[in-house]
Amino acid sequence: MERTFLAIKPDGVQRALVGEIIRRLETKGFTLVGLKLVNVSRELAEQHYGVHKERPFFPSLVDFITSGPVVAMVWEGEGVIASARKLIGATNPLNAEPGTIRGDLGINVGRNLIHGSDAPETATYEIGLWFKDEELVSWQPTI
Ligand code: CMP
């Protein structure tokens, strides 16, 4: 079954939106298979956002993601990578559709609440970067 990496960023934690964001993913029907609160090191931040290292906003992105706890998660489900990106909405919350997490809850591209893997290769890389195999719990809903 497909898996994706999602992270509630420091703004989501500090604005007390962890429950609201997880609720949206749970009620969609995806399965949570990994969850932890992380104080992100600069090394992890730079590896996670390595693809953006030449962008002008890279230093502020690393500063921000290391500024407070992040909720790191792995979610499982059919088509979860693309579907979670739809639930999350456009990168800039000002362009995100109402009904999406960023469209409903965010207003700033640098404070856009949640990160989601954008493709299968990225999901595999990010899950491996943030989680050890033994931290992931394989289970199937039985009700
Ligand atoms: P995310 O989905 O985590 O992936 C890369 C992040 O870079 C993105 O969300 C934004 O939070 C951030 N980002 C993208 N564009 C800008 C920008 N112009 N200024 C600041 N941050 C940005």
Side-chain angles (χ1 to χ4, degrees), residues 9 49 52 57 60-61 85 91 102 109-110 112 114-116:
K9 301 183 186 185
Y49 281 129
H52 297 299
F57 57 81
S60 62
L61 184 57
R85 296 270 298 185
T91 302
R102 289 170 175 160
V109 70
N112 62 359
I114 178 167
H115 166 86

Side-chain angles (χ1 to χ4, degrees), residues 1-142:
M1 185 65 80
E2 190 171 286
R3 289 180 171 180
T4 194
F5 173 75
L6 305 180
I8 303 175
K9 301 183 186 185
D11 54 333
V13 175
Q14 290 170 31
R15 290 180 55 202
L17 291 171
V18 171
E20 169 67 19
I21 291 171
I22 290 179
R23 184 191 65 78
R24 289 177 182 228
L25 296 156
E26 279 188 311
T27 53
K28 174 70 176 173
F30 296 133
T31 304
L32 185 60
V33 297
L35 175 71
K36 61 183 176 182
L37 192 65
V38 182
N39 269 321
V40 182
S41 65
R42 292 194 78 82
E43 184 188 7
L44 174 58
E46 286 169 8
Q47 286 178 304
H48 175 76
Y49 281 129
V51 69
H52 297 299
K53 68 173 180 291
E54 305 303 332
R55 308 285 282 275
F57 57 81
F58 183 70
S60 62
L61 184 57
V62 171
D63 284 348
F64 173 59
I65 206 75
T66 58
S67 68
V70 164
V71 178
M73 302 176 286
V74 178
W75 289 83
E76 188 174 272
E78 202 177 325
V80 68
I81 298 170
S83 186
R85 296 270 298 185
K86 274 192 195 159
L87 285 183
I88 289 169
T91 302
N92 187 340
L94 291 176
N95 301 327
E97 295 292 328
T100 65
I101 292 168
R102 289 170 175 160
D104 288 349
L105 307 173
I107 51 168
N108 183 321
V109 70
R111 302 283 185 274
N112 62 359
L113 298 168
I114 178 167
H115 166 86
S117 305
D118 62 2
E121 310 73 50
T122 332
T124 302
Y125 171 72
E126 292 175 353
I127 291 168
L129 187 61
W130 289 76
F131 284 90
K132 298 182 183 124
D133 281 350
E134 59 267 29
E135 292 177 313
L136 300 177
V137 179
S138 289
W139 67 284
Q140 294 291 321
T142 55

